[in-house]
Amino acid sequence: MPEKTLRAELEAVRESVGAALEAAMADLPPGDLTDAMRYACVGGKRLRAFLVLESARLHAVSPAAAMPVAAAIEAVHAYSLVHDDLPAMDDDDLRRGMPTVHVQWSVAIAVLAGDALQSLAFELLADPAIGPPEARLRLIAAFSRAVGARGMCWGQALDIAATDLYEDGHYTLG
């Protein structure tokens, strides 16, 4: 794929996935939690979503079936960044040149926004547009493994252990 075409495709995915995430949050109650969720989802390259959509295309899966999955992976990515930035993790003040969610709102809102984004991801994976119930269930199970204690959360625990945040010796991975 020529570079100009790839850039155009990436931009189209950024826009369409951003719109899908916004639509998924459209009926949430107004307030800090929803504002923080939206804020956390702004920006980024959406490379994960691009890979989901391209993989779907290669396997003749319709864009309508793939879009909820692409949006879900971006919601989980946003959740992981919100939690990674927290004072108990990496304690970052900036993300993509903007104040992190816990700086912009509070640690409590950041924790809840991350949790709500993870929940939103699983709601998106339950979308009937994806396919039959059996396919969605397999997808949800695989996503759960990849996000949970066998995947991303395990990786974060390794990251914390490597930073010596728990110098008192009370934190163990085994």
Side-chain angles (χ1 to χ4, degrees):
M1 185 179 295
E3 184 178 342
K4 188 174 183 179
T5 304
L6 178 59
R7 284 188 183 160
E9 288 293 321
L10 284 168
E11 185 56 33
V13 167
R14 276 176 35 88
E15 290 177 17
S16 61
V17 171
L21 285 167
E22 184 55 40
M25 292 186 267
D27 66 344
L28 296 178
D32 287 348
L33 176 60
T34 301
D35 293 344
M37 291 170 68
R38 284 188 173 107
Y39 182 87
C41 289
V42 171
K45 295 179 281 299
R46 307 265 194 241
L47 186 56
R48 289 157 194 80
F50 175 79
L51 293 172
V52 167
L53 295 170
E54 282 299 299
S55 296
R57 184 184 62 77
L58 289 171
H59 294 280
V61 174
S62 75
M67 184 54 71
V69 181
I73 204 156
E74 289 297 329
V76 162
H77 179 58
Y79 131 73
S80 74
L81 296 178
V82 169
H83 281 199
D84 187 58
D85 291 338
L86 289 168
M89 303 284 184
D90 288 353
D91 196 17
D92 290 318
D93 292 335
L94 294 174
R95 170 72 60 189
R96 300 175 180 145
M98 304 285 291
T100 55
V101 174
H102 76 273
V103 169
Q104 187 73 15
W105 282 273
S106 67
V107 170
I109 289 294
V111 169
L112 293 171
D115 291 350
L117 285 165
Q118 184 186 55
S119 179
L120 178 66
F122 285 95
E123 183 180 334
L124 288 163
L125 293 174
D127 187 331
I130 292 172
E134 299 80 18
R136 289 178 300 194
L137 187 56
R138 285 192 309 272
L139 184 60
I140 289 168
F143 220 78
S144 296
R145 285 188 299 277
V147 171
R150 293 178 185 94
M152 189 174 63
C153 289
W154 174 249
Q156 187 66 30
L158 292 172
D159 185 49
I160 290 169
T163 62
D164 295 324
L165 286 176
Y166 293 91
E167 293 176 5
D168 61 4
H170 288 85
Y171 187 79
T172 62
L173 293 174

